[in-house]
């Protein structure tokens, strides 16, 4: 339906091999994937299958050793210089010497926003992740979940069109996670951002995404791309619907196939 | 065996092993101490070894020390007594560069002078106080710097004059390419402020014990024999000293030359202290200034009980 | 002799045991807030007092000659009566040589580290050579510095510069690499410039290391300056005084100078540690549990 | 390997050498010029440059002068003769190794005490730090004298000074190391109802070893400094320190530099050796192989 | 049914308040709970509700400030001295300088088992968690999942009757987790141990337990105790049965109620 516009992220025959001191590690092999504007794409797969690596290639944090990738129609490098994306790391990676607010304004300072705008945006971002009133605290004074939300706020603050999120909710309990999932869906709905989302949880992937990319390790390949048939409007209890369970089942099957090799080391 | 029953005695030198102490090393090496039934240990000194402290701590029986330092220590409560005086003359000098414009003591004010401290500063201080020159800088006075281990300050022009011994540092200046004409030398003896150097000192309590006095007498006798030997065989004596030098920094030529000069200082000494010279030393230390080296005339700072037995 | 002699020694030992027991008690107390701070100060003070009493008791009790080791009471008398000398020496050695050398040495180490850090090539070249240089025993450097920079305090400052430079260089370099990969990647995703990353990430992350070097250097600098004064000085300065006082058997003055040195060193160290606490308040070692 | 580590080191060494030669000419110029002037000789610039690099007692000797002195006094002489640097290096090495061993032991004992006793923890640390602000060279002669009063001379007093310097980094590092196990690892021992000594031997000690080796590297370097310092007051009894001092006393700059380099070289070797032992132990303890 | 024998663990009005430098934290409040021999009890609740604290009280790692608790009919302290339980921490907590085998023999060394018996037991424990052949490896040579299994083997090695497990599978991906859940159930079935198991995952709690304890934070209270009606024999696809979903729903409701206050900090 959206295929008329060019994809926001497009990978062709992408290949990435790390050279380590005990031989090369083939982290990504022949990955082909198009992601269009406004899509919510989840990446799922066993540990070490290359999910993080793929996100890092998009973010110009790794250079592919083969194939091509474009982001926003240009190279990842140019896209990074254009500040085309916000990145949420697997861990919160907040700077302990900055308050939560100062952590959120960090990218804004670097990108040269005015002081007042910095403050405004930080406030808005804090509100988005339900952290009003915690701006003056230091990271270690917050729980792990709150820290993770602060790091999401930081990625949201400068309002890039692409959001790259690497297992942002890994450390949270199910209820908080559900809540943040809902919030994220709302945000995505409202802003029409393109979101790439790595997760280990099948229900989470199914609940959030318009497209689920299943990967398998050694070398990291895309084994399945599942387009979700769920509606855009998704109450939490959609997760008990047969359609949901169906997609979840398909994802689980795809994953199990990947595991057939032997379990990840 | 005699070696077993030999009386033990420890001698603390004032400085590192060099021909300045040849008499003792010769006596040790040639078996002169052994002949007196003595088992002598010679401990070399160093820049931070204060022999009076060593003897007060009980780590030596006899020390080689300069009389000013010994008298100063006596005032500080270490009851040192001179028992013999192998060095009859003083070898201390102040050596100046001729090109610094210093030719007589009147030229000192305003100059920078290098002085040894650590108990060796007393002759200099008493000389300056006799001249009435303050030693705390300024136009009227001299700037004193604590001279390090060598004569580099003079060679490099950091000081107009430095302290030298006529048997040692003076020759280092000459070796560095200065000719005697390039230098102006103030001999402490010529300036009338001679002080006695390199005497043998013990603690008062040692002299209360007749056995110890006997031991010391034998020691002084053997040591003086060593000095005489060194007078007669300067080159061999220098070689003996080199043999005992554990640092390997000494050179043969230097030690032979030093031996010659030191022999001039010990010439004619029988070990008996010249009381007149000692009184001169005391006078020059007591004299003048608001800051004399010693504050009152010492009593009992020397004795002849040991040399009487020679 | 009566009370002095061995009974004094026993009294000192008894005091030691009592103080130890008291400390055991104090350390066992479970307090918080102001009393706790007080106790934490009291315990080491009591411990120090114990050492002094033992020292006094042993020197007096065993009749140690005061030219070998004077009792602390005598040292204290000397401190009180010779404040002018001590102050002059302190000025010469600490206020001039140590501070100048410390500031220059640490500053230079810091600047060179920042410059070198940009280039792996220079880093790979300078680090091993730097490690070798910091292994040079400074006693050897001191006479050379006196030769080069003269007798007054600049030569002592130069020794201090040499001594403090490498610890600062090595620590700053290590500190600049202390920021995590993820934190640096974050800056990369913002397309942050080199100075921005330096100021906003790498320097703050390096602070614990830099303060480590500042602390090490604060004791090194004092020792270095004092030692350097053994190789030629004008006739003022702590090192000068210590060595001449040994020569003239004013051992109480020696200990008075040592006291001043230890006091100055400890206070400097304490001050730097305090600043460190304020600057690196965020570091896990400085913050209490959430 | 070559481009990544050797080439940079060579480059830096080359720059140092170049600066050194330049410094030799610059620093020695005036004295040579004055000397020739006193001798009434006229010299060309080239001759002057050569002269500054061939002085007997230069302010700064040229690298090749130091090198040839080093070679002669290390390889050219009977190692048992006091003229050989090997002789002195051995004297210094033996007392610094003894001091290092004692310092390490003392540091470990203090750390064990600090970690296990609340009183020691609270009372000792400030004084351990204060102890290091005492200028050791100042008390070195007195230590030597106090020891000789007790009848102990030679190696032990010097080793004691090394001990005094070396125990500090070990005590600090080891305290950190013994406290490094995470709460969870300690809790685990608690659930096994392990005794204090079991916890020490099976958890605290192995966990502290990396810290121990890191601080031992610092300690071995400064125990060498301590031994050298301890040799200064007893100037005539051999050792690198005595050599330095006597060379200095006789103005033998070239000998000073050669001795200095011998000391630096020895110290680098010791640090390297400790590092090697540390790596070996670490490997035996199953540490990940380092990538570099 | 089993109430005739006295409970293995019994808490009455249990209370625990931590004193911290910014005021007291009420971690456990009025907890009443009986756990009988052979039960598999899961604890679930939002972050910070006191699950870990409760386990630590049982293990005598914390002392309650009020109420009473007995373990094996005696005090937790005595029970610890009797080595009555094995504890599996939230992280693997293996000692990196010991091989996997040496890690497993650690408690045996401390408890003074004979060398040969140590080896035998280590081998058996390794087999129990499917780690045969990995005994000589060091922890970092294993994947996170394998490490976690090794830490379980370590707790099993000395064969205590009670097993306390604090989120042992938190860091694993779903497929590995499923596998370990199956293994754990088999082990429990075979040995009739009493297991206390903390988890964040509702399906996991429901799948494993005979009893699910739902907790809520601030102060930590037990809000619901759900006895499972699932049979002892539990294939993985029991999780799609209506009975399962029913229990899961009940747990989720209980949890949500706990969250109503405000989310955990
Ligand atoms: N910098 C690197 N150097 C060498 N190998 C690497 C590097 N980064 C990742 N790898 C390897 O590449 C593979 C893919 O890693 P990646 O981090 O992308 O996995 P992942 O899917 O994100 O796993 P997880 O779910 O555990 O986060 C792994 O085998 C990993 O060990
Ligand atoms: N040692 C301690 N000192 C002070 N407060 C503590 C301590 N340990 C835990 N707490 C507090 O007690 C409460 C309960 O903590 P606990 O670790 O039991 O939670 P939990 O349910 O295990 O959470 P999670 O799911 O995050 O592991 C929390 O608010 C926590 O901050
Ligand atoms: C630091 C230092 N202090 C004193 C002397 C002087 N000194 C002591 S004994 C003696 C006679 C031997 O030449 C001399 C000159 C020195 N050189 N260096
Ligand atoms: Mg990843
Ligand atoms: Mg917990």
């Amino acid at each position: 339906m959206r295929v008329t516009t060019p994809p926001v992220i497009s990978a062709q025959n992408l290949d990435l091999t790390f050279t380590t001191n005990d031989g090369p590690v083939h982290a990504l092999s022949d990955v082909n994937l198009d992601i269009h504007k406004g899509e919510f794409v989840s990446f799922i797969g066993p540990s070490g299958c290359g999910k993080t690596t793929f996100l890092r290639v998009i973010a110009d944090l790794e250079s592919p050793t083969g194939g091509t990738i474009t982001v926003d129609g240009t190279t990842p490098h140019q896209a990074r210089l254009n500040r085309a994306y916000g990145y949420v790391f697997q861990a919160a990676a907040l700077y302990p010497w900055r308050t939560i607010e100062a952590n959120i304004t960090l990218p804004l300072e670097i990108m040269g926003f005015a002081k007042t705008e910095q403050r405004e945006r930080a406030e808005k971002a804090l509100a988005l992740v339900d952290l009003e009133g915690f701006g003056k605290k230091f990271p270690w004074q917050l729980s792990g979940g709150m820290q993770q939300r602060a790091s999401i706020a930081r990625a949201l603050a400068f309002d890039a069109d692409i959001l790259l999120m690497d297992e942002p909710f890994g450390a949270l309990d199910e209820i908080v996670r559900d809540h943040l999932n809902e919030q994220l869906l709302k945000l995505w709905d409202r802003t029409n951002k393109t979101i790439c989302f790595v997760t280990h949880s099948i229900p989470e992937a199914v609940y959030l995404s318009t497209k689920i990319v299943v990967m398998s390790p050694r070398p990291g390949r895309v084994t399945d791309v599942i387009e979700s048939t769920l509606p855009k409007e998704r109450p939490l209890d959609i997760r008990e619907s047969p359609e949901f369970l169906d997609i979840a089942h398909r994802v689980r099957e795809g994953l199990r196939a990947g595991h057939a090799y032997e379990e990840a080391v | 065996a005699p070696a077993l029953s030999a009386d033990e005695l420890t001698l603390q030198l004032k400085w590192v092993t060099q021909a300045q102490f040849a008499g003792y090393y010769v006596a040790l090496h040639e078996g002169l101490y052994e002949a007196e039934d003595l088992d002598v240990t010679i401990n070399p000194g160093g820049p931070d070894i204060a022999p009076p402290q060593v003897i007060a701590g009980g780590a030596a029986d006899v020390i080689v020390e300069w009389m000013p330092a010994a008298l100063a220590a006596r005032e500080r409560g270490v009851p040192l007594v001179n028992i013999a005086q192998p060095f009859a003359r003083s070898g201390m000098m102040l050596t100046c560069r001729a090109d610094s414009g210093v030719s007589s003591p009147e030229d000192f004010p305003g100059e920078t002078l290098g002085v040894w401290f650590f108990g060796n500063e007393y002759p200099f201080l008493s000389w300056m106080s006799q001249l009435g020159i303050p030693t705390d800088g300024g136009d009227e006075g001299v700037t004193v710097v604590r001279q390090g281990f060598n004569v580099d300050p003079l060679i490099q022009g950091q000081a107009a004059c430095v302290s030298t011994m006529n048997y040692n540092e003076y020759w280092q200046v000459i070796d560095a390419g200065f000719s005697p004409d390039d230098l102006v030398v103030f001999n402490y003896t010529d300036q009338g402020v001679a002080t006695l150097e390199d005497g043998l000192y013990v603690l008062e309590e040692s002299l209360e014990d007749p056995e110890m006095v006997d031991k010391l007498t034998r020691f002084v006798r053997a040591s003086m024999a060593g000095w005489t030997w060194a007078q007669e065989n300067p080159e061999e004596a220098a070689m003996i000293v080199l043999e005992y030098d554990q640092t390997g920094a000494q050179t043969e030529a230097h030690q032979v030359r030093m031996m010659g000069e030191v022999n001039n200082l010990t010439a004619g000494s029988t070990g008996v202290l010249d009381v007149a010279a000692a009184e001169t030393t005391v006078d020059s230390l007591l004299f003048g200034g608001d800051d004399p080296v010693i504050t009152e005339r010492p009593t009992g700072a020397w004795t002849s009980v040991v040399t009487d037995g020679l | 002799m009566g009370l002095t002699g061995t009974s004094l020694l026993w009294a000192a030992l008894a005091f030691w045991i009592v103080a130890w027991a008291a400390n055991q008690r104090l350390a066992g107390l479970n307090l918080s807030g102001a009393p706790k701070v007080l106790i934490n100060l009291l315990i080491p003070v009591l411990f120090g007092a114990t050492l002094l009493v033992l020292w006094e008791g042993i020197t007096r009790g065993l009749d140690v000659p005061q030219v070998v080791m004077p009792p602390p009471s005598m040292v204290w008398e000397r401190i009180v009566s010779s404040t002018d000398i001590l102050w002059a020496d302190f000025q010469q050695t600490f206020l001039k040589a140590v501070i100048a050398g410390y500031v220059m040495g640490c500053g230079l180490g810091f600047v060179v580290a920042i410059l070198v850090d940009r280039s792996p090539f220079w880093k790979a070249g300078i680090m091993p050579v730097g490690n070798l240089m910091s292994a040079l025993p400074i006693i050897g450097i001191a006479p050379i510095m006196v030769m080069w920079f003269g007798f007054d305090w600049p030569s002592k400052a130069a020794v201090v510069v040499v001594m403090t430079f490498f610890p600062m260089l090595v620590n700053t370099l290590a500190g600049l690499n202390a920021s995590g990969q993820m934190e640096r990647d974050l800056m990369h995703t913002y397309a942050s410039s080199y100075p921005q990353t330096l100021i906003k990430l790498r320097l703050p992350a390096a602070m614990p290391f830099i303060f480590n070097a500042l602390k090490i250097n604060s004791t090194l600098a004092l020792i270095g300056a004092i030692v350097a004064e053994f190789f030629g000085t004008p006739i003022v300065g702590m090192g000068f005084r210590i060595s001449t006082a040994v020569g003239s058997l004013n051992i109480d003055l020696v200990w008075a100078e040592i006291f001043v040195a230890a006091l100055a060193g400890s206070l400097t160290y304490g001050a730097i540690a305090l600043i460190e606490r304020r600057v690196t308040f965020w570091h896990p070692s400085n913050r209490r549990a959430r | 390997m070559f481009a990544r580590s050797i080439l940079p080191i060579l480059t830096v060494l080359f720059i140092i050498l170049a600066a050194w030669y330049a410094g030799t000419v610059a620093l020695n110029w005036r004295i040579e010029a004055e000397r020739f002037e006193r001798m009434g000789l006229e010299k060309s610039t080239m001759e002057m440059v050569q002269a500054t690099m061939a002085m007997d007692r230069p302010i700064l000797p040229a690298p090749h002068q130091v090198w040839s002195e080093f070679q002669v006094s290390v390889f050219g002489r009977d190692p048992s003769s006091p003229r050989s640097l090997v002789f002195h290096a051995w004297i210094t090495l033996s007392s610094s190794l003894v001091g290092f061993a004692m310092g390490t032991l003392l540091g470990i004992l203090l750390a064990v005490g600090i970690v296990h006793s609340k009183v020691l923890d609270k009372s000792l640390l400030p004084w351990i730090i204060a102890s290091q602000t005492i200028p050791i060279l100042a008390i070195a002669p007195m230590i030597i004298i106090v020891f000789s009063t007790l009848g102990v001379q030679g190696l032990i007093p010097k080793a004691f000074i090394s001990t005094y310097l070396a125990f500090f980094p070990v005590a600090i590092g080891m305290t950190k190391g013994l406290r490094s196990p995470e709460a969870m690892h300690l809790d685990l021992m608690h659930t096994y109802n392990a005794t204090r000594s079991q916890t020490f031997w099976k958890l605290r000690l192995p966990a502290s070893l990396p810290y121990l080796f890191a601080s031992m590297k610092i300690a071995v370097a400064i125990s060498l400094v301590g031994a050298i310092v301890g040799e200064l007051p007893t100037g005539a009894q051999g050792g690198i320190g005595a050599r330095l001092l006597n060379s200095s006393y006789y103005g033998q700059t070239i000998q000073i530099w050669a001795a200095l380099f011998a000391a630096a070289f020895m110290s680098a070797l010791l640090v390297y050796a400790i590092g090697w032992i540390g790596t070996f132990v670490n490997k035996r303890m199953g540490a990940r192989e380092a990538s570099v």
Side-chain angles (χ1 to χ4, degrees), chain B residues 19-215:
Chain B
Q20 182 188 359
F21 309 107
Y24 314 108
Y25 282 109
V26 166
L28 184 65
H29 187 259
E30 294 297 308
L32 305 181
Y33 289 135
E34 216 177 316
E36 294 281 359
D37 200 24
L38 290 170
D39 176 12
V40 175
T41 308
I42 300 180
N43 284 336
D48 293 314
I49 291 288
Q53 196 188 18
V54 175
I55 199 172
D61 302 306
V62 188
I63 60 171
V64 176
E65 186 51 285
W66 292 0
M67 186 170 273
L71 295 181
R74 205 179 153 80
E75 281 209 348
R76 299 255 143 58
V78 183
L80 290 178
V81 182
N82 181 304
I83 55 164
Q85 184 62 39
F87 272 46
R89 276 162 291 279
S90 152
M92 175 105 120
M93 314 191 294
L94 195 64
T95 301
C96 306
R97 291 172 73 122
D99 58 11
S100 69
V102 174
S103 57
S104 77
E106 285 86 70
D107 301 326
F108 286 154
E111 296 293 346
T112 298
L113 310 182
V115 175
W116 290 315
F117 278 80
F118 210 75
N120 305 311
E121 69 275 31
Y122 300 122
F124 173 83
L125 293 178
S126 81
W127 182 26
M128 285 300 129
S129 84
Q130 289 191 25
L131 290 173
I133 300 175
T135 52
D136 47 7
D139 297 336
E140 301 294 293
V142 290
T143 302
V144 175
V145 295
R146 176 175 185 265
Q147 182 178 333
F149 304 112
N150 54 47
V151 291
D152 286 343
L154 185 83
I155 298 170
Q156 289 158 25
Q158 291 168 332
C161 313
V162 295
S163 302
T164 56
M165 304 305 293
N166 70 352
Y167 49 80
N168 187 1
E169 286 81 4
Y170 176 74
W171 296 103
Q172 292 183 29
V173 180
I174 299 294
D175 287 347
F178 285 79
S179 77
D181 301 338
D182 298 326
L183 301 169
V184 178
V185 172
F186 298 95
N187 199 310
Y188 278 62
T189 313
D190 299 344
Q191 299 297 319
V193 286
T195 52
L196 286 173
E197 294 164 2
D198 289 39
L200 294 172
Y201 293 80
V202 298
L203 291 179
E204 261 170 20
E205 62 190 32
S206 301
L207 298 169
E208 289 160 11
D209 173 10
E211 246 174 66
M212 185 67 189
V213 172
D214 171 57
K215 210 161 99 179

Side-chain angles (χ1 to χ4, degrees), chain B residues 48 50 52-53 56-57 69 72-73 76-78 117-119 121-122 135-136 144-150 152-153 156 158-159, chain C residues 65-69 143 146-151 228-235 239-240 242-251:
Chain B
D48 293 314
Q53 196 188 18
R76 299 255 143 58
V78 183
F117 278 80
F118 210 75
E121 69 275 31
Y122 300 122
T135 52
D136 47 7
V144 175
V145 295
R146 176 175 185 265
Q147 182 178 333
F149 304 112
N150 54 47
D152 286 343
Q156 289 158 25
Q158 291 168 332
Chain C
Q66 43 143 303
V67 292
V68 172
M69 180 73 102
V146 173
M147 225 184 266
W148 290 0
F149 296 101
F151 278 87
E229 284 183 1
F230 278 60
F231 294 80
T233 51
I235 51 175
F240 166 80
I242 287 172
S243 85
T244 41
V246 171
S248 54
L249 299 185
N250 287 315
I251 310 299

Side-chain angles (χ1 to χ4, degrees), chain B residues 236-248:
Chain B
E236 287 89 334
M239 294 314 290
I240 290 173
V241 170
L242 274 179
E243 212 172 293
Y244 283 93
D245 167 36
Q246 285 295 298
T247 67

